[in-house]
Amino acid sequence: MTRIVASGRTFKQKIEDLEWQDHVCYVYDLDQEWQEAASGFLAAGLTRGERGCCLLPAGFWTGQKTRCADDAILFQRAMEKGCLLHPHDEDMLVAWLADLQVFFEKLRAHCSAAGFTGCRCIVDMHWLQRCGIPEQVRGDFLLWLNQSMADMPLLALCGYARQHAAPAELQVAFARHSYVCHAGHLLPGGFGMEPGYGHARRLGLSISKGRRPFRRGPVLDAIFKAAPFALWILNRNRQVVFVNQQVCDTLGVSEEQILSGAWLPAAGAGEYGTFFGMHDPAVYEAGGPVETELSLMHADGCLHDYRVIRTRVMGDDGQIEGILGLALDITDRKIAEKRLRQSERRFRDIALEVGDLIWEVGPNWRFRYLSEKAKDILGYEADRLVGRSLAELDNAAPQETWQVLFRALETAPTRFRNVEKWWQTPDGRQRCLLLSGVPVIGEDGRPGGFRGVAEDITERKQQEANLKRALWQAEDARDKIDSILRSITDALIVVDSGGRFVMLNPAAEDLFGTTAEQALGASVYALCPGSNVSDAIRRLMADVATGSAVDEICLAWPAESARRQTYFKARASQVRNLQGDGPGVIVLFQDMTREREMERLKTEFISTAAHELRTPLTSIMGYLEFCMHPEEFGGFPDAQLREFMAEIYDKAEVLERIVSDLLDISRMDAGREIPLIMETVDISQVSRKILQHFQLQFPAYRFEMVFAPEISHRVQADRQKLVQVLENLVSNAVKYSPEGSVVRVSGASEGTAYRISVCDRGIGMTPQQIARMFEKFYRAVDLNSGVRGLGLGMHIVKHIIERHGGTIAVHSQPGKGTEIIVNLPLGG
């Protein structure tokens, strides 16, 4: 049997580690205390390979009543495997205990099952009492447990709810258990067992000879000393014959002084006589315990409140042996009750003065309480609303709008905050309520309604609506301004009279190399990329501020290189408010770089075109002079004159091509399409003829053709325009390639398109040059490079290819050459 000795183990460990043949009476004040002890007691046995029998209410092991979810799973699996006996309801419990002898045999077989080391039995005596099990049957059951421990591996834990158990029942329970547990203490029991033997003989059970009852003196002495409350005994002469240490600590005197009786007169027997019950006739006349509350000066010098319980101790002869008394210090409880009353008064005062409605509803969402603000907020007197629900009273809104809230909270009762609901008062006014509440949890742990507050936020909602409308209008106006500013491709800034940024659009952010957030409040002059720019802007703003006629200037914006130089036309105007004052200036920076570039390209084009036209014209005029006046040059043979005529024809063809290009550009600028004459064209034949011509004209280059002979190279195209495209591509390959290099033309069908490639190993192009090569007048080299051309060829080529429904792509790297790929649709 378990020995009660001082050790480092906790009370919970002592309960869980009891040994066989220990019979424990567990007296508890709180259900949670009993649930945790029973859970630990059973879990410890099941994990050690023991069986279990639980006479406990259904659902005891589920929910939050077990120590953890793992214990609940352990108990459920044990019941499924038959290792744990547990009645499902009260009817099953009554059936089990209807014939105790049959139930005892069933429990004995369960305890002695093969493969198990024993059984732990847990009994909730309060539940047995609620189920209608007679007191006699409960007593016989305890006797059998006591007798069975002598020859069975049985360990029992019986729970008694102190607030529901009668003192007489507890006294019998103490006698029939080997141990008593209460308030975290494990105490020896088993005293006063003689009355129980009669019940055992009536059941036909034999009490084990090896189990000797505890002696009254040592047992009571151990219990009294370990009890956490004051205990004393009066004999039949109303003299104090025993007190525990709690009594001595309460009165501030020693045990010897109290037992001698000399202490009472000196202290005044009246107050302390009432405490011990010496002169209270009700204690001696009552058939059960007598309870009273009194205040007594404690040894610490403070007045303490006590709950005093006194009961008679009867002898075998039916005469009063004495009085057993105990005193519980309820000072903390009294203080808590006082604070509770103060809180209730405070709550009533707040409920009357606070502007919000305080409410409480039951499980059916009908009001159980409302503060007096119900009249101001809901339009009804509070008394008229008790017993009715919001859904019934709000006729303006369908009941479903409230039922949605009700159903959601009934499914998962939880705290809710700031739920907005509209309400119509009896006079037709619309009120917006802001509801917050918490579940009301009953003593059984189940939600029993909600309580909370309702705030009338109608004016706030109206103000919010007005504010939202004003904000929307302001945001709409701001969005429109932002959209306008963002849609302006030119940089625009607004500065104050001190030259500090007030606003700038994205284009201005890129121009000044900053962001709007960083620029606000900064000086515009400090962010200018040079003193020339800042001085020019300063002069422009000064002219505008003084009303000068000068409101625009041209700026050269510094760049990393001269080729990337940008130019802007800055225009400024005064910003004036409603009062006509001018607090700032708006400056618009119009990018003139492209216009200047176009002017430069036009100038270069005129110079180049004049040069390109004059060169063949000079040759033509020279040869014509030879032909018209041969006698001035000594005469020419006919063969030489024919060579002169051929050269004149070739130069005329050059002029014709230049004029044709200019006419094509003119058509495109006017929005007219280049006319096409579609026919079937063999790309390989056209390419061969062109390359033969270039081979004669440029013998220092090698020209190659790659056309597979086994496939068709026919497409639907304008022959002359296609010849123009190929001549332009091959001419550029020759212009930008060194002598001796290879120019290759290839063609093949790829799916629904015909692919033409013109590849050289010339100087190549940079990505920037590739991006601009199809621009009008653009040339990848300077005029001084010696490469002839007007900068129109690739622009016209791209337009011709697109007119045919095709595409053109460029692949080039500086120093590695260029490949131009043209894709023409096979279908024409």
Side-chain angles (χ1 to χ4, degrees):
M1 183 175 295
T2 302
R3 297 178 58 196
I4 305 175
V5 296
S7 68
R9 295 188 306 159
T10 64
F11 170 69
K12 181 176 74 67
Q13 291 172 333
K14 292 179 182 179
I15 289 295
E16 296 178 3
D17 297 338
L18 291 171
E19 299 175 1
W20 298 120
Q21 299 183 355
D22 285 344
H23 194 181
V24 182
C25 171
Y26 195 99
V27 182
Y28 60 90
D29 295 304
L30 300 175
D31 292 343
Q32 184 67 23
E33 175 189 353
W34 165 239
Q35 291 157 4
E36 292 180 356
S39 298
F41 179 76
L42 180 59
L46 292 176
T47 54
R48 298 171 184 174
E50 303 170 9
R51 287 198 164 200
C53 176
C54 302
L55 302 186
L56 301 168
F60 189 85
W61 306 122
T62 59
Q64 300 297 324
K65 297 181 178 180
T66 54
R67 299 181 302 171
C68 64
D70 292 339
D71 285 353
I73 296 174
L74 176 65
F75 302 152
Q76 183 64 33
R77 290 177 177 174
M79 285 190 286
E80 294 174 355
K81 295 179 180 180
C83 300
L84 177 60
L85 295 179
H86 185 205
H88 298 295
D89 50 33
E90 298 179 5
D91 295 337
M92 181 178 291
L93 173 70
V94 174
W96 280 11
L97 300 183
D99 191 336
L100 285 179
Q101 196 64 41
V102 174
F103 175 70
F104 294 156
E105 294 301 327
K106 178 179 181 179
L107 187 58
R108 182 182 296 275
H110 184 70
C111 295
S112 305
F116 293 90
T117 59
C119 179
R120 296 195 177 207
C121 185
I122 306 176
V123 185
D124 189 338
M125 287 298 179
H126 178 55
W127 185 56
L128 267 60
Q129 181 182 0
R130 286 191 290 129
C131 292
I133 305 301
E135 182 179 359
Q136 178 177 324
V137 175
R138 300 199 304 270
D140 292 344
F141 181 71
L142 289 180
L143 279 177
W144 181 85
L145 289 177
N146 204 348
Q147 182 270 346
S148 298
M149 288 189 299
D151 54 0
M152 286 177 59
L154 183 66
L155 185 61
L157 180 68
C158 299
Y160 288 85
R162 190 181 62 81
Q163 64 271 32
H164 299 293
E169 183 180 8
L170 287 178
Q171 188 174 10
V172 173
F174 291 166
R176 293 178 181 174
H177 293 77
S178 54
Y179 291 105
V180 177
C181 290
H182 180 64
H185 296 275
L186 185 62
L187 309 173
F191 49 85
M193 294 184 64
E194 291 79 7
Y197 289 107
H199 297 285
R201 296 190 185 95
R202 181 176 55 78
L203 288 172
L205 303 175
S206 59
I207 300 301
S208 173
K209 301 301 182 181
R211 186 170 181 82
R212 180 176 59 84
F214 287 88
R215 292 182 293 108
R216 178 184 298 271
V219 171
L220 285 178
D221 186 61
I223 293 176
F224 287 173
K225 287 183 178 180
F229 41 79
L231 284 171
W232 66 89
I233 296 178
L234 302 180
N235 61 13
R236 63 179 62 189
N237 295 325
R238 304 186 182 184
Q239 296 175 333
V240 180
V241 296
F242 183 87
V243 293
N244 67 350
Q245 187 60 39
Q246 292 288 342
V247 176
C248 299
D249 294 341
T250 300
L251 302 180
V253 294
S254 66
E255 181 181 0
E256 291 75 11
Q257 290 177 303
I258 296 176
L259 297 180
S260 66
W263 161 78
L264 279 175
E271 182 182 22
Y272 296 98
T274 304
F275 177 77
F276 286 114
M278 295 177 175
H279 310 295
D280 189 352
V283 178
Y284 296 89
E285 297 172 0
V290 176
E291 297 188 18
T292 185
E293 293 183 2
L294 56 85
S295 298
L296 187 69
M297 187 63 66
H298 193 273
D300 61 5
C302 299
L303 192 64
H304 285 223
D305 295 307
Y306 292 90
R307 177 189 176 197
V308 180
I309 305 173
R310 296 179 291 268
T311 185
R312 299 181 302 175
V313 179
M314 308 300 294
D316 295 337
D317 57 357
Q319 299 298 317
I320 298 177
E321 291 285 342
I323 299 295
L324 171 64
L326 63 89
L328 301 174
D329 191 336
I330 59 173
T331 305
D332 292 340
R333 193 194 75 184
K334 286 292 187 180
I335 294 175
E337 291 176 350
K338 180 180 179 181
R339 291 176 178 173
L340 178 60
R341 289 191 297 270
Q342 293 175 346
S343 298
E344 290 176 348
R345 288 194 298 268
R346 188 179 300 112
F347 172 78
R348 285 194 298 268
D349 295 341
I350 293 175
L352 293 175
E353 298 299 329
V354 73
D356 299 340
L357 169 66
I358 302 175
W359 53 266
E360 180 177 328
V361 295
N364 54 2
W365 289 93
R366 297 183 180 276
F367 286 114
R368 293 193 297 212
Y369 169 79
L370 295 102
S371 64
E372 295 185 4
K373 289 296 180 179
K375 177 64 176 177
D376 298 334
I377 295 178
L378 301 181
Y380 294 91
E381 295 291 344
D383 295 340
R384 291 187 56 193
L385 294 178
V386 174
R388 306 178 70 181
S389 69
L390 286 171
E392 296 176 358
L393 297 169
D394 188 7
N395 297 323
Q399 292 189 3
E400 288 74 11
T401 60
W402 293 99
Q403 296 300 337
V404 170
L405 173 63
F406 296 164
R407 283 194 297 268
L409 294 174
E410 287 171 355
T411 304
T414 184
R415 177 192 301 270
F416 63 93
R417 293 180 59 84
N418 301 334
V419 177
E420 293 184 5
K421 289 291 181 182
W422 283 91
W423 166 273
Q424 181 173 331
T425 60
D427 56 4
R429 292 180 301 162
Q430 291 289 332
R431 315 297 294 177
C432 185
L433 305 181
L434 189 66
L435 304 176
S436 298
V438 296
V440 178
I441 306 301
E443 295 182 356
D444 57 356
R446 298 179 180 178
F450 285 84
R451 64 169 62 100
V453 296
E455 180 184 359
D456 185 357
I457 60 171
T458 307
E459 294 184 3
R460 185 196 308 174
K461 296 297 288 185
Q462 294 173 349
Q463 294 173 357
E464 289 178 359
N466 295 334
L467 180 59
K468 288 180 179 179
R469 189 180 303 107
L471 288 175
W472 180 85
Q473 294 173 349
E475 290 178 357
D476 183 61
R478 185 188 63 187
D479 292 341
K480 289 179 180 178
I481 294 175
D482 289 344
S483 299
I484 294 173
L485 292 178
R486 291 184 180 276
S487 64
I488 298 176
T489 57
D490 296 327
L492 184 144
I493 64 173
V494 179
V495 296
D496 59 17
S497 57
R500 291 179 292 272
F501 280 104
V502 175
M503 185 174 60
L504 65 165
N505 67 349
E509 293 179 8
D510 297 335
L511 179 63
F512 285 91
T514 184
T515 63
E517 292 77 9
Q518 296 172 346
L520 292 181
S523 172
V524 65
Y525 313 118
L527 293 180
C528 289
S531 59
N532 293 337
V533 176
S534 62
D535 292 343
I537 294 178
R538 193 188 305 273
R539 289 194 300 272
L540 175 63
M541 295 182 61
D543 292 339
V544 172
T546 58
S548 173
V550 178
D551 62 352
E552 66 178 38
I553 57 174
C554 290
L555 299 171
W557 208 266
E560 297 178 358
S561 63
R563 294 182 61 87
R564 300 180 61 183
Q565 183 76 50
T566 54
Y567 299 89
F568 291 91
K569 180 186 290 184
R571 296 184 178 183
S573 62
Q574 193 81 24
V575 177
R576 299 191 180 278
N577 54 24
L578 296 177
Q579 290 74 29
D581 300 329
V585 177
I586 295 178
V587 183
L588 180 68
F589 296 86
Q590 185 178 2
D591 191 347
M592 303 298 295
T593 306
R594 184 170 180 82
E595 285 76 3
R596 290 177 68 95
E597 178 68 12
M598 292 302 297
E599 290 294 332
R600 183 185 67 80
L601 291 176
K602 287 181 180 179
T603 302
E604 291 181 358
F605 170 74
I606 293 173
S607 175
T608 303
H611 177 75
E612 292 293 328
L613 290 171
R614 185 171 61 181
T615 299
L617 282 175
T618 301
S619 299
I620 291 172
M621 291 176 65
Y623 285 119
L624 284 176
E625 187 176 357
F626 289 154
C627 295
M628 292 173 62
H629 306 285
E631 66 280 1
E632 296 181 5
F633 300 98
F636 298 100
D638 292 340
Q640 193 171 13
L641 288 174
R642 284 193 295 271
E643 289 180 7
F644 291 163
M645 296 301 293
E647 191 68 24
I648 292 172
Y649 183 80
D650 290 340
K651 299 304 180 182
E653 283 186 337
V654 172
L655 289 175
E656 190 274 336
R657 284 196 296 270
I658 294 175
V659 172
S660 179
D661 287 347
L662 293 175
L663 290 176
D664 288 341
I665 289 295
S666 176
R667 290 191 189 96
M668 288 187 286
D669 288 344
R672 300 195 305 270
E673 298 290 348
I674 297 177
L676 300 179
I677 302 174
M678 305 299 289
E679 59 179 303
T680 301
V681 181
D682 191 321
I683 301 296
S684 61
Q685 293 180 1
V686 172
S687 300
R688 182 178 294 107
K689 184 176 181 181
I690 293 174
L691 292 183
Q692 288 174 351
H693 174 75
F694 273 91
Q695 187 67 70
L696 293 174
Q697 191 174 2
F698 302 99
Y701 292 84
R702 290 192 302 120
F703 296 92
E704 297 180 355
M705 284 181 54
V706 182
F707 288 88
E710 66 274 7
I711 64 174
S712 173
H713 301 284
R714 297 176 181 273
V715 297
Q716 292 293 318
D718 185 310
R719 180 181 296 273
Q720 295 302 322
K721 298 301 181 184
L722 191 57
V723 169
Q724 183 179 353
V725 168
L726 290 175
E727 285 182 345
N728 206 308
L729 297 181
V730 175
S731 175
N732 284 343
V734 172
K735 289 179 183 178
Y736 298 103
S737 299
E739 292 185 355
S741 61
V742 178
V743 176
R744 181 181 294 107
V745 179
S746 61
S749 298
E750 292 185 357
T752 60
Y754 189 88
R755 181 178 182 272
I756 304 173
S757 171
V758 179
C759 181
D760 65 64
R761 293 294 180 267
I763 61 176
M765 291 184 291
T766 64
Q768 292 78 13
Q769 291 172 328
I770 293 175
R772 298 191 60 190
M773 69 176 296
F774 296 109
E775 292 181 7
K776 186 169 55 176
F777 308 129
Y778 177 75
R779 301 181 68 209
V781 295
D782 296 332
L783 290 176
N784 299 327
S785 64
V787 179
R788 298 170 57 186
L790 299 177
L792 300 176
M794 293 306 295
H795 181 73
I796 296 174
V797 165
K798 184 173 184 292
H799 188 79
I800 292 174
I801 296 301
E802 290 177 348
R803 281 282 290 136
H804 280 79
T807 60
I808 185 169
V810 182
H811 303 285
S812 182
Q813 292 185 16
K816 294 185 179 182
T818 302
E819 180 183 15
I820 297 179
I821 299 172
V822 175
N823 288 294
L824 295 175
L826 288 175

